[in-house]
Amino acid sequence: MAASQTFKIKGMHCASCAVNIERALKKSVGVTDAQVNYATETAQLVFDETKTNPNQLSKIMEPLGYSLIINEPTALTKEAAAMGMSPDAPPFAEASEGRHAAHLGLRESKAEKLAELQAMKQKLLIALPITIISAIVMTWDILVTLGQVAAMPITLSEFTHHLMPLLALYMLVVVGQPYLLGLYRFLRYGRANMDSLIGLGTVAAFIYSFAVTAFEEALKPYINVETNYYDVTIIVIAFITLGKYLEARSKIKTGDAIEKLLNLQAKVALVRRDGQEREIPVSEVVHGDLIIVKPGGKIAVDGLIIEGASYVDESMITGESMPTTKTIGDAVVAGTINTTGTFVFKATKVGSETVLAHIIKMVETAQSSKAPIQKLADQISGVFVPVVLVFAFVALTTWLLVGTATLGFAPALSLGLVSFVSILVIACPCALGLATPTAIIVGVGKGAQAGILIKDAATLEKLHKVDTVVVDKTGTLTKGKPEFISIQNFSKQSDADLISILASLEQKSEHPIATAIIQYSQTKQWPILAVTNFEALKGKGVRGVINGVEYFAGSTKLVAGLGLQFDALGLSAQTEAGQTPVVLATGQRVLAVVMIADALKPEALEAISQLHQKGIKVVMLTGDNQQTAEFIARQLNIDEVVAEVLPEDKLKKIKALQAKGRVVAMAGDGVNDAPALAQADVGIAMATGTDVAIESAGITLLHGDISKLVKAIKLSKMTMTGVKQNLFWAFVYNVVGIPLASGVFYPFLGWLLSPVFAGLAMALSSVSVVGNSLRIKAKKL
């Protein structure tokens, strides 16, 4: 029987780890498909349960240094299964103890990650002063060689002579332990990654250095014992470990999006059973239960209202800022919030059937799916290590065979050893390892200064390839909350007086639109008047007496009910544009009409224009009605509009665009955008939106400023150009340096790269890479 499951993976350190794990799993008996995602550290496996199981698959990976995080079902999930619910469903808030917690490792894995991060930080705090000491000694030796400074005093020289091996040994064995393990696994299993390269270079430098230190007198006739490479071991390990620490810190919140989605679910429900009301855990709600929801309450499961009416905040599903009127027969959704009134609804969907559960599943699937990202340095590492080893041994062997015949054994051995060590030292992947992280670190820092928060390097890498931007309307292109737009005055009273009267009435109203009117009045510092005989007219508006005059405020239906003459058709242009009219009237005539709407962000038009200039197509997806969506699209010159969509529809649209070969960025701010944000090649969240949207996205724009999207794309291009330049220079040093170090030019030109200059070349390669990365800081976004 085929099973499809997603597991967290322990022990992943680089993109080539994902390749190694995927290869091992695909070769395993019973596995039909394996997709390993380095960004989320997960593996999606399809396997035959009759032939293998997760524990067996984990054992296959263990020799390579990895393992599957397998969680047994908790008592809570067993209880759900006993009730007939799907054991892998997230039907309740406590599910953070159930399958989703297990999948994400919210207990074991996250705790381990935090502990690992803290341990790495402690190692770096000790490594920093060691690195500074080493850098000072290395610089002094180089300057002495160049004749720029005097030699080190004998006492100090002897002290560093004995201190450096101890410092290098500590860095290699304690801080560099992952790289030693990477080298060991490469030698034993033939699987290389960046850890293997780092381990090879640092171990070679240390062994050579220790040999010339321990056997100085014995080796003096054969090789130059004055030169060692302890500083190479120390500095390389320190820099690479720092990069890994910064990367690990940025990835620590991978599972927060689903964790926050789970927290949206109500924990308890007030149920009417056998004529009695009682509060029960949501896990005990079954189909047909009658659930009572009071003002401010969270709706527990999906269902249909059978008693009462209210306004329900459904922004987590629809993305729309204004609460929706709900009456008998209307559907309600789990996780949404009742703002006013009390109602009773009948449960129709529970557990994994609810809309919220489907959103969780969609986000989970999209986050765990494999992104088409390949790290050039990690790809090459699989070939680079054996090639370097072959070069080093060929050089040593050639010198011993050919050199002995022409020069004698001692000179041939000396030249052979120099070539062997020089190749390994100059091939040490310091620059290769720094090429990407230094540019990314600078790019991410520059983005943060500009209000662009980037979650990981993969996102920054993909962004410059985007050719289609999909945007949500509410909260992304618009401000996301109702605002006062205009007033039409049909009376002799001033606008200020009319709005003051309207705000006084609305202050006692429970309707969400009231807030916009009150805030506008407060901004103008217009007074709030005393209201008597106030009454809320459900579904229509409010009435009240101010200074002896009875006023009515509400919808056009209220005016029609009063029998007043009013041309509602004259407001069609505004209503089609998404504006909501609020009519102020007395019992005799209409005094004014105030228009309320979710206004466009002032920077939206310029941002869309700049995207078009870059040749990027802009698509708007919104849960709002078609007329309003088209009106907004015309204002902003948007290329394509898809209106009245649900979260699943947004996800399908993203997938459809990707199927056409488009590289898609999705910008949104609501829970309803989370699945699409996770599925898109690049997810972009507004910081003014929900935490779930922010956690699902790879990029967050501070202050919800859509214009920063254009800057983010430019930043991505700048950073990736820097990365490519860095990789070029890193490889140039190796391509030019390895033949020189091997002694190819020695018989003809007398050129042989000494380990001293091999180390210097390695250091210069790192300096050039870091310097080139720092240039990104000076560039203007």
Side-chain angles (χ1 to χ4, degrees):
M1 180 180 175
S4 178
Q5 293 186 42
T6 302
F7 299 93
K8 291 286 283 184
I9 299 176
K10 183 179 179 181
M12 292 183 70
H13 296 102
C14 61
S16 56
C17 292
V19 175
N20 290 337
I21 295 168
E22 197 168 286
R23 285 175 181 169
L25 289 172
K26 285 182 175 179
K27 291 179 181 178
S28 303
V29 175
V31 176
T32 54
D33 189 37
Q35 297 292 328
V36 179
N37 188 313
Y38 169 56
T40 56
E41 296 183 5
T42 57
Q44 286 184 318
L45 303 180
V46 180
F47 58 93
D48 189 337
E49 291 181 302
T50 62
K51 296 180 180 179
T52 188
N53 60 58
N55 287 309
Q56 290 177 345
L57 294 174
S58 185
K59 287 180 181 178
I60 291 171
M61 294 164 53
E62 283 172 7
L64 300 177
Y66 317 110
S67 60
L68 298 178
I69 297 175
I70 304 166
N71 294 274
E72 297 298 326
T74 63
L76 209 53
T77 53
K78 291 176 180 176
E79 177 188 348
M83 294 172 60
M85 297 180 186
S86 171
D88 64 347
F92 31 82
E94 291 90 341
S96 59
E97 296 292 322
R99 186 188 74 85
H100 284 288
H103 161 65
L104 293 168
L106 294 180
R107 294 162 297 162
E108 296 87 348
S109 179
K110 192 167 185 178
E112 288 174 359
K113 280 288 182 186
L114 289 169
E116 184 182 338
L117 196 65
Q118 184 62 27
M120 200 182 299
K121 182 178 179 180
Q122 292 299 325
K123 288 180 181 179
L124 282 171
L125 289 175
I126 298 173
L128 182 61
I130 293 175
T131 306
I132 292 172
I133 292 170
S134 177
I136 291 172
V137 173
M138 180 182 71
T139 304
W140 197 326
D141 286 343
I142 291 172
L143 292 176
V144 169
T145 304
L146 297 175
Q148 298 298 309
V149 297
M152 216 180 263
I154 294 177
T155 305
L156 182 59
S157 177
E158 283 297 314
F159 176 72
T160 58
H161 181 74
H162 292 89
L163 177 65
M164 292 299 287
L166 296 176
L167 296 181
L169 183 64
Y170 174 84
M171 290 292 289
L172 187 65
V173 175
V174 180
V175 183
Q177 186 182 44
Y179 315 127
L180 292 179
L181 291 174
L183 177 58
Y184 165 74
R185 291 180 185 121
F186 165 66
L187 295 175
R188 181 167 181 179
Y189 302 106
R191 300 291 174 84
N193 58 18
M194 285 300 293
D195 287 354
S196 308
L197 285 170
I198 298 160
L200 179 65
T202 52
V203 166
F206 181 82
I207 290 176
Y208 176 84
S209 301
F210 184 76
V212 299
T213 302
F215 307 105
E216 183 176 351
E217 293 302 322
L219 294 174
K220 189 176 290 184
Y222 306 105
I223 58 176
N224 180 9
V225 295
E226 299 299 323
T227 303
N228 61 63
Y229 302 101
Y230 294 122
D231 45 21
V232 171
T233 301
I234 293 168
I235 295 172
V236 167
I237 289 175
F239 271 113
I240 300 298
T241 303
L242 176 62
K244 283 182 175 287
Y245 169 76
L246 294 173
E247 180 184 2
R249 191 174 65 172
S250 70
K251 288 173 60 181
I252 200 69
K253 292 186 177 182
T254 301
D256 281 3
I258 294 176
E259 190 175 8
K260 289 179 185 297
L261 281 170
L262 288 167
N263 290 334
L264 289 174
Q265 177 67 63
K267 294 181 180 180
V268 296
L270 185 61
V271 178
R272 183 188 295 167
R273 288 180 180 173
D274 302 323
Q276 294 184 336
E277 294 181 8
R278 59 191 182 111
E279 197 170 72
I280 63 172
V282 174
S283 59
E284 297 179 10
V285 175
V286 296
H287 293 99
D289 267 340
L290 301 181
I291 301 172
I292 302 163
V293 185
K294 295 183 178 180
K298 191 176 284 186
I299 295 169
V301 296
D302 294 1
L304 296 173
I305 294 177
I306 60 170
E307 295 177 20
S310 184
Y311 293 100
V312 176
D313 180 357
E314 293 188 312
S315 58
M316 61 153 276
I317 299 297
T318 65
E320 296 310 306
S321 54
M322 296 185 186
T324 308
T325 303
K326 296 290 183 179
T327 58
I328 294 172
D330 289 337
V332 290
V333 177
T336 57
I337 299 171
N338 178 30
T339 59
T340 62
T342 300
F343 61 88
V344 179
F345 74 94
K346 183 178 181 179
T348 58
K349 293 181 180 179
V350 299
S352 61
E353 303 167 342
T354 66
V355 172
L356 179 58
H358 284 305
I359 291 177
I360 291 171
K361 183 64 179 175
M362 284 188 285
V363 173
E364 177 188 85
T365 302
Q367 282 192 331
S368 299
S369 61
K370 189 175 182 181
I373 310 166
Q374 296 177 335
K375 301 288 188 242
L376 181 59
D378 286 312
Q379 282 183 316
I380 292 173
S381 66
V383 178
F384 191 55
V385 172
V387 167
V388 169
L389 274 173
V390 168
F391 273 7
F393 280 106
V394 166
L396 176 59
T397 304
T398 303
W399 276 112
L400 289 175
L401 294 177
V402 179
T404 300
T406 57
L407 302 174
F409 176 74
L413 175 62
S414 177
L415 292 171
L417 288 173
V418 167
S419 295
F420 181 79
V421 176
S422 294
I423 289 172
L424 292 179
V425 170
I426 201 168
C428 183
C430 184
L432 192 61
L434 291 171
T436 298
T438 52
I440 295 296
I441 289 167
V442 173
V444 169
K446 188 176 182 66
Q449 291 177 342
I452 303 162
L453 305 184
I454 301 161
K455 183 181 287 185
D456 53 48
T459 299
L460 191 60
E461 180 179 342
K462 285 184 287 186
L463 185 58
H464 78 288
K465 300 176 183 177
V466 165
D467 56 26
T468 304
V469 171
V470 176
V471 291
D472 174 47
K473 179 181 74 70
T474 305
T476 304
L477 298 175
T478 65
K479 294 181 180 178
K481 61 181 181 179
E483 287 189 353
F484 177 93
I485 301 298
S486 63
I487 180 174
Q488 294 183 45
N489 192 336
F490 304 114
S491 72
K492 294 181 179 179
Q493 293 176 269
S494 67
D495 291 352
D497 289 341
L498 293 174
I499 293 174
S500 184
I501 292 169
L502 187 56
S504 302
L505 290 170
E506 295 290 9
Q507 193 174 42
K508 292 181 174 291
S509 170
E510 297 176 333
H511 198 288
I513 286 180
T515 305
I517 298 171
I518 295 166
Q519 287 180 345
Y520 181 75
S521 180
Q522 289 174 342
T523 301
K524 296 293 186 179
Q525 296 184 336
W526 292 333
I528 298 295
L529 308 172
V531 180
T532 58
N533 298 330
F534 177 84
E535 180 184 1
L537 307 171
K538 282 291 183 183
K540 295 182 179 180
V542 296
R543 63 172 292 277
V545 176
I546 298 176
N547 296 329
V549 179
E550 185 179 43
Y551 293 98
F552 297 85
S555 66
T556 54
K557 292 181 181 178
L558 175 62
V559 177
L562 293 172
L564 302 178
Q565 290 185 347
F566 181 69
D567 181 16
L569 295 176
L571 302 175
S572 59
Q574 290 96 322
T575 54
E576 285 178 8
Q579 298 181 18
T580 302
V582 178
V583 183
L584 177 65
T586 63
Q588 293 75 40
R589 63 194 181 95
V590 172
L591 300 177
V593 178
V594 166
M595 303 305 297
I596 304 296
D598 185 7
L600 283 174
K601 290 182 176 178
E603 67 273 10
L605 180 60
E606 179 62 23
I608 302 299
S609 175
Q610 289 183 5
L611 288 173
H612 283 153
Q613 290 172 14
K614 293 181 178 293
I616 295 174
K617 178 181 180 180
V618 182
V619 180
M620 183 172 75
L621 295 182
T622 178
D624 211 342
N625 66 71
Q626 190 72 35
Q627 286 183 328
T628 301
E630 289 179 353
F631 177 81
I632 296 292
R634 286 194 298 271
Q635 284 186 294
L636 298 175
N637 298 320
I638 288 173
D639 301 306
E640 183 181 347
V641 180
V642 184
E644 301 174 14
V645 292
L646 294 175
E648 187 172 353
D649 299 320
K650 292 188 177 185
L651 182 63
K652 287 179 180 177
K653 181 63 179 178
I654 299 291
K655 288 183 176 179
L657 288 167
Q658 289 172 328
K660 294 177 181 178
R662 311 289 293 191
V663 181
V664 182
M666 166 71 187
D669 74 329
V671 172
N672 64 308
D673 298 318
L677 287 169
Q679 174 63 36
D681 296 286
V682 179
I684 301 163
M686 303 294 115
T688 50
T690 64
D691 288 343
V692 174
I694 292 170
E695 294 300 335
S696 297
I699 292 177
T700 300
L701 305 181
L702 293 184
H703 313 300
D705 187 349
I706 189 66
S707 67
K708 295 183 187 298
L709 172 56
V710 181
K711 291 183 178 180
I713 293 172
K714 185 176 180 181
L715 175 66
S716 174
K717 290 183 178 179
M718 286 166 42
T719 305
M720 293 317 300
T721 298
V723 168
K724 290 172 184 176
Q725 291 170 343
N726 287 348
L727 289 172
F728 170 78
W729 285 112
F731 287 123
V732 161
Y733 279 101
N734 287 322
V735 170
V736 174
I738 289 175
L740 184 61
S742 66
V744 170
F745 302 105
Y746 186 80
F748 313 106
L749 302 172
W751 294 352
L752 181 64
L753 187 67
S754 126
V756 174
F757 291 103
L760 179 61
M762 187 275 298
L764 287 174
S765 68
S766 301
V767 170
S768 65
V769 162
V770 174
N772 189 55
S773 296
L774 291 173
R775 288 196 312 122
I776 299 171
K777 277 188 176 182
K779 294 184 178 180
K780 184 179 180 181
L781 283 180

